[in-house]
Amino acid sequence: MTTQSPLETVINARHSVRKYDGQTKIEPEEMNQMLQTAFLAPTALNQQPIRALVITDAQLREQLCAATGNTSQLTTSSAVVLFVLDRENQHQTPAFQPGQGDAPAQHSDTIGALEPV
């Protein structure tokens, strides 16, 4: 008999959501926490040259949906997060290293109803 590790259980249970209920809203504090955690993921040379654009405005999400092939996730979710190149800070040196203090605080912009993070 084979038993699954917790990681295997999570991987086997995952699925791709195609439509959200449209009623659930992500609070700004929760979004900030999720983004701060996401920015801990390593990048090339650990420079973190990324920015998150949080799109909460329904009209902008509709336009994005039309531009990307009409994926319903974009219109039924409470927010869409786009990770893009941070052109302003892409060449900052030295690279952030764990243990050297805090990472840059401003890695995201909000488009819509949430406060900037």
Side-chain angles (χ1 to χ4, degrees):
M1 176 178 215
T2 341
T3 59
Q4 291 186 330
S5 71
L7 177 60
E8 288 174 301
T9 302
V10 170
I11 291 172
N12 288 327
R14 72 180 183 84
H15 64 280
S16 177
V17 176
R18 298 291 178 206
K19 186 174 182 182
Y20 296 94
D21 67 17
Q23 303 303 310
T24 302
K25 300 295 177 203
I26 299 172
E27 295 298 324
E29 299 81 25
E30 187 178 9
M31 179 65 74
N32 287 340
Q33 184 179 10
M34 287 188 287
L35 289 172
Q36 291 303 315
T37 301
F39 286 122
L40 294 175
T43 59
L45 302 177
N46 208 25
Q47 289 184 339
Q48 310 302 97
I50 54 176
R51 180 170 291 279
L53 302 177
V54 180
I55 304 171
T56 59
D57 181 79
Q59 286 183 318
L60 289 174
R61 288 186 287 122
E62 286 282 345
Q63 290 173 355
L64 184 60
C65 179
T68 58
N70 294 316
T71 52
S72 63
Q73 300 97 312
L74 299 177
T75 58
T76 59
S77 64
S78 64
V80 172
V81 180
L82 298 176
F83 290 94
V84 298
L85 175 66
D86 184 351
R87 299 176 94 185
E88 215 173 278
N89 298 309
Q90 68 179 335
H91 300 295
Q92 79 181 18
T93 53
F96 170 72
Q97 298 292 320
Q100 288 184 334
D102 295 331
Q106 186 64 25
H107 269 298
S108 57
D109 294 314
T110 300
I111 303 170
L114 292 176
E115 294 296 317
V117 290

